[in-house]
Amino acid sequence: MAALCIFCGMAPESKTKEHIFPQWLLKMTGFHSKNTSVGSNWATGKEIVFPGKNYTFPACDSCNNQFSDLEGKVKSIVERLCEDVDVSGTDLELLLDWFDKIRAGAWLGVSYMNKEVFGLPPNHYIRDRIGVKDRYLSVTNTYLPEKTFKWSGVNSLTFMASPTALMLRVNNLVFVNASTDFLVSESVGFPHPDTEFQTPGSNIANFNLLPGTGNVTADCFTTKPYLPSHIIRQPIFKSAHGINPDFYDNDHVINNSHDLIAGIGKLFLQNNQGAMVLEREDRVGFQMDEAKSVYGRVQVVRPILELQLEMLRARWSRLRFVSEEERDKQFMAVNKIIEYTNEQIQQYNY
Ligand SMILES: [Zn+2]
């Protein structure tokens, strides 16, 4: 496999290295020179462990520079969240962009390290995945005075099939991040698909949309990945709006969107105080009122795998195929993923 830029997927003109885990994050958590496990090699079963600062992949100089601006901003946002300082709606959108970057980067990282297993070159790169699908982030402050850096959910077949969700722990913060097509739309009362038509040999999926109800529910998942938490949901619908503009032409969608044509919804924030829709200039805090002593002592690995399975099953239930033969073929593949992930869930019961 040629060394392609992880941002744009082109052969880098002026080659640099991009850290999948940004340097500032490693320094902040004390993991700059500490060894980090990035999962197992799937062919050998061997765990891949090396200092986080050496976990780098090729990138163009220009792509790297462009994204370093985002890193600088997000560093300050994460520092403020760690210290219970308010952040703005704009800050949270940047944080969601950053999680899109981290998820795509983690997926590329694991793909590269297991290229003999997956064979095919990656079908998307970081740039293709930022701010293009609905997104979800839950934030919990554990208030535990410890330096730690952990991620989970990345080394699963479900994640490899589609990098939908991961958990990231940064010192006293626990983040659960998820993103896929129409992930939150129905739960925030926006148009959403009832069926998705799969064309064989193509990644282009066609959705049959239903109009939104205008009702906002408390969550979009049955799985509770991490509690208690503040949940942020943002619908993203640029291409869906292009195809079904009538469904988006109503007060609920218009009032709860930053930009209808660009398909950018506002942030829906949910916590035990209730629900609110954030404007970009609004400032919010992520304080927790509950007893602080229990935080950090609940399972984090198992729930993220369960969340990935919930997302996979939700997609499967709406998929329609051109033939029964095609459906059977896909069903076998999906079943294998579900079986394997269930085994992992048993194994990682923490
Ligand atoms: Zn590039």
Side-chain angles (χ1 to χ4, degrees):
M1 198 185 294
L4 302 175
C5 168
I6 58 164
F7 293 109
C8 66
M10 312 293 277
E13 270 179 28
S14 167
K15 201 169 142 186
T16 56
K17 285 174 178 173
E18 165 69 5
H19 291 80
I20 300 282
F21 308 128
Q23 301 277 66
W24 63 263
L25 187 65
L26 296 170
K27 283 180 187 152
M28 178 193 261
T29 55
F31 272 75
H32 191 247
S33 39
K34 260 195 226 172
N35 283 343
T36 311
S37 168
V38 291
S40 319
N41 181 289
W42 295 26
T44 62
K46 250 182 138 177
E47 197 175 12
I48 305 165
V49 178
F50 51 77
K53 68 177 175 195
N54 296 347
Y55 194 41
T56 60
F57 291 90
C60 308
D61 197 21
S62 57
C63 285
N64 218 337
N65 282 336
Q66 200 183 329
F67 280 91
S68 69
D69 183 46
L70 175 67
E71 292 294 346
K73 287 175 179 154
V74 170
K75 174 177 185 272
S76 138
I77 296 164
V78 172
E79 281 168 350
R80 275 177 279 155
L81 288 174
C82 277
E83 288 159 19
D84 247 350
V85 178
D86 290 359
V87 294
S88 69
T90 298
D91 291 336
L92 292 173
E93 281 184 81
L94 287 170
L95 186 62
L96 286 166
D97 285 346
W98 184 78
F99 269 104
D100 285 341
K101 172 180 185 263
I102 290 287
R103 258 191 359 272
W107 181 81
L108 284 162
V110 179
S111 309
Y112 278 129
M113 285 188 308
N114 288 288
K115 53 190 170 206
E116 67 278 16
V117 180
F118 296 107
L120 295 171
N123 60 3
H124 66 259
Y125 294 86
I126 291 175
R127 197 182 282 274
D128 311 324
R129 282 297 168 106
I130 295 188
V132 293
K133 294 164 189 262
D134 281 12
R135 22 201 211 173
Y136 169 102
L137 181 69
S138 92
V139 184
T140 302
N141 194 336
T142 67
Y143 295 100
L144 290 173
E146 61 178 0
K147 282 198 159 191
T148 187
F149 172 69
K150 285 190 187 107
W151 63 346
S152 51
V154 170
N155 197 40
S156 73
L157 257 191
T158 327
F159 190 83
M160 272 300 96
S162 182
T164 52
L166 57 72
M167 191 281 304
L168 190 69
R169 187 154 182 191
V170 180
N171 297 345
N172 52 319
L173 298 175
V174 181
F175 298 103
V176 175
N177 171 244
S179 173
T180 192
D181 295 302
F182 302 104
L183 175 65
V184 308
S185 292
E186 184 174 8
S187 76
V188 298
F190 275 45
H192 58 277
D194 63 344
T195 46
E196 177 180 342
F197 300 95
Q198 177 110 66
T199 325
S202 154
N203 289 313
I204 300 158
N206 299 306
F207 295 94
N208 182 53
L209 283 201
L210 299 175
T213 60
N215 299 324
V216 181
T217 59
D219 200 350
C220 54
F221 293 125
T222 312
T223 309
K224 297 294 166 220
Y226 202 93
L227 286 173
S229 65
H230 298 261
I231 292 170
I232 302 157
R233 283 171 287 171
Q234 184 178 35
I236 305 274
F237 49 87
K238 187 178 178 182
S239 40
H241 174 260
I243 298 164
N244 295 74
D246 293 354
F247 284 178
Y248 291 87
D249 187 15
N250 59 68
D251 286 350
H252 180 70
V253 173
I254 293 166
N255 294 338
N256 291 302
S257 295
H258 289 306
D259 186 332
L260 208 56
I261 305 300
I264 303 169
K266 290 182 182 171
L267 300 181
F268 291 76
L269 184 66
Q270 183 86 32
N271 54 33
N272 64 0
Q273 311 288 310
M276 68 182 286
V277 177
L278 279 187
E279 299 299 332
R280 285 183 166 144
E281 62 277 14
D282 285 347
R283 302 194 75 82
V284 282
F286 288 79
Q287 293 81 8
M288 295 275 174
D289 301 326
E290 296 90 340
K292 296 175 182 179
S293 59
V294 299
Y295 296 164
R297 320 232 179 271
V298 299
Q299 293 188 332
V300 285
V301 179
R302 187 185 178 125
I304 196 73
L305 296 175
E306 286 174 345
L307 185 68
Q308 290 176 354
L309 281 187
E310 181 180 337
M311 291 172 75
L312 177 68
R313 289 197 173 104
R315 172 149 194 258
W316 178 256
S317 70
R318 72 172 184 229
L319 269 180
R320 301 292 177 270
F321 298 92
V322 285
S323 66
E324 283 213 3
E325 195 188 354
E326 185 58 31
R327 185 185 189 280
D328 291 347
K329 203 173 97 190
Q330 297 280 340
F331 184 71
M332 278 182 30
V334 167
N335 247 357
K336 202 170 264 180
I337 294 173
I338 292 176
E339 252 174 53
Y340 186 86
T341 308
N342 271 326
E343 271 173 39
Q344 267 190 318
I345 287 175
Q346 300 304 322
Q347 192 184 334
Y348 294 101
N349 199 4
Y350 54 83

